[in-house]
Amino acid sequence: MIYFDSAATTLQKPDAVPAAVAGAIHTMTTPGRGDHPAARQAAELMLQCRTEAAEFFGVPEPDNVILTTNATHALNIAIKSLVAPGDTVVISGYEHNAVTRPLHAIGGVSVRIVNGRLFDPEQMAEGFRRAVDRDVRAVICTHMSNVFGYVLPIDEIASVCRERGVPLVVDASQSAGVRPVNLERWGAAYVAMPGHKGLYGPQGTGLLLCGAGQEPSSLLEGGTGSLSRQQEMPAFLPDRLEAGTQNVHGAAGLLAGLRFVRGMGVERIARQEGDVLAVLARGLRKRGRYRVFDGGESSVLSVVPLDTDPETLADRLAERGVAVRAGLHCAPLAHTTAGTAETGTLRFSASVFNTPEEAERVLAML
């Protein structure tokens, strides 16, 4: 299989990832639920995972790194901790349903959408400068569009939020592991990310990075292995947000993935992935039968075929052993903004395990 669907989930993992998961399954139980080697090893593993993530993503304290089931889980905690009915929030026009559906579920939220042109960061930054005022309760913004690979000007957006005292939530689902992500530099209230995409961890893993002074609300209440006599959830992190038995085996794989990414460096990873998709983008443009959305700096490439529909073309490629994704990619707002809501797109998304030769083989099939 030629796998070009890593924006959904990376399929090829570093060898250390499945090895770490298997090792944890055979040696670790639940942290805080016993004073025996299996529980102590699990507690140490979770601390190592938090520490690695804190160092990599600019989090002041490892305890402010929350292990979640995915980025959607993390975003729900962040959004529902900050936003209430009657509040006003600002989002970009490229947000995923993981942002828009929680806002809809809260109800009574006034949402201002900044609809900047694709691959025009200056216009997008100016749009946020105009939209963010004293009435805004929070800004929620993706770092990189999962549909188009558009890298939003998050440094400038974060600067606007700091100047105006508005909490910032960053969805780093597509950028973590590919672009520099730094909670402290941005001064963000929260940064959410999955473990199973650019961090090469297992599915069912994610991270919520909590800024200093934030008091997130729990989505789940239950056992934590701490303060068991009281009925309220512990006030301190990470226990407040991690009720129930944790995914220690997944965290072991996530830790191995984090170490792989840190060892390679995000700049090298971005360069390799960008080189692969540049081959595809050039080849598709030469053929003239595709509308190509390519910002030239991403591991995500979307196209609209002009002589068929994206789903049909995706099916034909799948028959030939090529994995891609077609449709709206759980981000209808992004398609509305870019003018592709009627058709959706065919998306190619790379990982560090893809090669230019694979891109040439796909072009030959097309």
Side-chain angles (χ1 to χ4, degrees):
M1 180 193 295
I2 298 176
Y3 189 79
F4 275 121
D5 195 22
S6 291
T9 296
T10 48
L11 177 63
Q12 298 101 329
K13 308 288 187 183
D15 290 342
V17 171
V21 174
I25 286 173
H26 291 296
T27 60
M28 299 180 195
T29 57
T30 304
R33 274 74 161 183
D35 189 24
H36 48 76
R40 289 200 298 269
Q41 286 183 58
E44 178 60 29
L45 180 280
M46 297 296 274
L47 178 58
Q48 289 175 2
C49 190
R50 296 185 210 280
T51 300
E52 192 87 21
E55 292 174 354
F56 192 30
F57 297 120
V59 184
E61 297 292 337
D63 285 350
N64 283 33
V65 176
I66 309 303
L67 278 293
T68 64
T69 57
N70 46 50
T72 299
H73 179 192
L75 284 165
N76 268 265
I77 294 172
I79 291 168
K80 292 172 182 177
S81 295
L82 290 173
V83 181
D87 286 343
T88 298
V89 302
V90 176
I91 67 174
S92 84
Y94 298 93
E95 300 309 311
H96 191 277
N97 279 344
V99 168
T100 59
R101 283 180 171 173
L103 291 172
H104 177 78
I106 291 169
V109 178
S110 175
V111 180
R112 298 178 187 171
I113 302 173
V114 179
N115 287 314
R117 288 188 299 267
L118 259 177
F119 312 121
D120 189 342
E122 291 184 6
Q123 188 203 43
M124 179 63 76
E126 180 57 32
F128 274 90
R129 278 190 284 270
R130 291 195 302 269
V132 180
D133 57 30
R134 67 183 64 185
D135 296 327
V136 172
R137 177 66 186 99
V139 170
I140 308 163
C141 185
T142 186
H143 189 186
M144 180 191 295
S145 167
N146 73 305
V147 180
F148 302 105
Y150 173 29
V151 181
L152 278 71
I154 203 70
D155 288 337
E156 290 79 3
I157 294 168
S159 178
V160 170
C161 291
R162 291 194 304 271
E163 290 170 3
R164 299 175 190 180
V166 176
L168 171 65
V169 178
V170 179
D171 177 3
S173 292
Q174 298 302 329
S175 59
V178 183
R179 296 285 171 200
V181 171
N182 193 292
L183 173 99
E184 196 166 35
R185 187 183 77 237
W186 293 336
Y190 299 100
V191 176
M193 63 188 68
H196 63 96
K197 298 186 183 186
L199 300 181
Y200 296 94
Q203 289 152 267
T205 62
L207 297 172
L208 176 65
L209 316 179
C210 301
Q214 296 301 318
E215 296 184 356
S217 304
S218 59
L219 288 182
L220 295 173
E221 290 73 40
T224 60
S226 58
L227 303 182
S228 295
R229 292 184 182 277
Q230 71 179 40
Q231 287 302 288
E232 297 80 14
M233 288 294 288
F236 54 85
L237 298 177
D239 294 39
R240 184 192 309 169
L241 302 180
E242 293 187 5
T245 298
Q246 296 150 302
N247 183 6
V248 173
H249 309 146
L254 177 55
L255 175 59
L258 278 165
R259 288 173 171 169
F260 170 78
V261 171
R262 292 191 76 184
M264 282 202 69
V266 294
E267 293 82 5
R268 179 182 170 190
I269 291 172
R271 185 170 59 252
Q272 288 188 205
E273 294 178 359
D275 288 347
V276 171
L277 289 188
V279 173
L280 276 172
R282 287 194 299 268
L284 289 167
R285 283 200 175 94
K286 287 179 182 178
R287 279 155 176 77
R289 301 197 307 275
Y290 303 91
R291 185 181 175 195
V292 180
F293 296 90
D294 170 37
E297 57 173 4
S298 176
S299 55
V300 176
L301 171 71
S302 259
V303 302
V304 177
L306 302 182
D307 51 6
T308 186
D309 61 88
E311 287 82 1
T312 298
L313 186 52
D315 288 344
R316 290 174 178 171
L317 286 170
E319 291 170 359
R320 291 160 175 78
V322 179
V324 294
R325 184 177 177 185
L328 298 180
H329 316 291
C330 301
L333 179 59
H335 288 279
T336 298
T337 300
T340 55
E342 185 175 343
T343 61
T345 62
L346 180 74
R347 184 183 70 186
F348 299 89
S349 51
S351 80
V352 75
F353 294 101
N354 289 117
T355 66
E357 290 74 23
E358 289 179 323
E360 294 286 3
R361 287 166 60 192
V362 171
L363 287 170
M365 292 179 199
L366 289 168

